[in-house]
Amino acid sequence: MREPLPADMFDELCPSSLNPIRFGDKWAALIIRCLEHGPRRFSELRVPLSRVTPKVLTQSLRSLERDGLVRRTVHITAPPHVEYELTSLGRSLLEPLAAACAWADEHWDELLDARESHDNTVRLDHAG
Amino acid sequence: MREPLPADMFDELCPSSLNPIRFGDKWAALIIRCLEHGPRRFSELRVPLSRVTPKVLTQSLRSLERDGLVRRTVHITAPPHVEYELTSLGRSLLEPLAAACAWADEHWDELLDARESHDNTVRLDHAG
DNA sequence: CAGAATCCGTGGGGATACTG
DNA sequence: CAGTATCCCCACGGATTCTG
């Protein structure tokens, strides 16, 4: 439930980060998957999402909060402590999101192959 | 199989056009759904996708073709006749796409409600 | 008919620095 | 710790015009 998020969870070269089906903005789906197993703090999210600057991460989280998918809870302590967690609406998204990830897992290679052979064909066209 | 595509298929105010889960670029998912029931000509696609300029529609179609999701067939006639159809890889996308659309159908109102009440709260914050 | 070419505005993010 | 505040860039996409 509360294992730390792996830093390479969304490694740039890993298919899990190359989600061809996207929800909301660029990072929304990744954030939701980070919250799948319970609430997370801002700095916890920054670990797997190290490519996202704090500003953009905040924007995405605010957008998710606005849409009722994520709940933001501020614990007034020193130092400040803020937690993000999925609402029930947000959790309901996990299902179609999983379907999208399953598709990517299953077909990503085909897509990359098609892309590569297409690019080669185009190059030949230009050469010929 | 070959009924003409309705012009209001993606009406701006219709939830079907407000897909919160997106595949590829802005229009890719809509294009794929247009091709669901068989091949379509460029000008056929322009009917429901009237908000998309030809340039952008071409870009999206080329991108889908590059990824092996759509096949482009040129019939050398006068006037030119070009057809687009889903490949088997493209058709495999219909399933997760349908899951996403089902989610939107089911939860879109909740999302809009959350958004509205959130916006009202923010306004009150600014007023106070 | 099915695009290609050109020009252009906007805003989504990105980098960096700063703060309650 | 959890963000703001600025500045900035360029790629996405729109409008318009032209063509094999």
Side-chain angles (χ1 to χ4, degrees), chain A residues 85-99:
Chain A
E85 61 182 326
L86 294 179
T87 63
S88 63
L89 183 59
R91 258 191 303 281
S92 74
L93 249 180
L94 289 172
E95 189 178 356
L97 227 45

Side-chain angles (χ1 to χ4, degrees), chain B residues 41 75-82:
Chain B
R41 302 183 59 176
H75 302 269
I76 303 181
T77 59
H81 184 117
V82 180

Side-chain angles (χ1 to χ4, degrees), chain A residues 20-26 62 65-69 88-90 92-97 99-100 103 107 110-112 114-116 118-119, chain B residues 20-26 62 65-69 88-90 92-97 99-100 103 107 110-112 114-116 118-119:
Chain A
I21 299 179
R22 296 186 316 188
F23 164 80
D25 67 22
K26 191 172 178 181
R62 290 289 189 278
E65 191 191 2
R66 176 175 182 245
D67 285 348
L69 300 165
S88 63
L89 183 59
S92 74
L93 249 180
L94 289 172
E95 189 178 356
L97 227 45
W103 186 92
H107 297 288
E110 292 177 62
L111 195 147
L112 286 185
R115 191 177 284 187
E116 190 177 356
H118 177 85
D119 289 354
Chain B
I21 298 179
R22 297 185 315 188
F23 164 82
D25 66 22
K26 192 173 179 181
R62 290 287 189 279
E65 191 190 1
R66 176 175 182 246
D67 286 348
L69 301 164
S88 63
L89 184 58
S92 73
L93 248 181
L94 290 172
E95 190 177 355
L97 227 44
W103 185 91
H107 297 289
E110 293 176 62
L111 195 148
L112 287 186
R115 192 178 284 187
E116 190 178 357
H118 177 85
D119 289 354

Side-chain angles (χ1 to χ4, degrees), chain A residues 9 18 20-21 24 50 57 60 95 98 106 108 116 123-125 127:
Chain A
M9 186 171 172
L18 303 168
I21 299 179
S50 57
L57 182 55
S60 287
E95 189 178 356
E106 195 172 348
W108 189 250
E116 190 177 356
R123 275 190 201 161
L124 290 176
D125 284 355

Side-chain angles (χ1 to χ4, degrees), chain B residues 59-77:
Chain B
Q59 284 177 351
S60 287
L61 285 166
R62 290 287 189 279
S63 171
L64 292 171
E65 191 190 1
R66 176 175 182 246
D67 286 348
L69 301 164
V70 163
R71 179 168 33 249
R72 176 173 180 267
T73 308
V74 181
H75 302 269
I76 303 181
T77 59

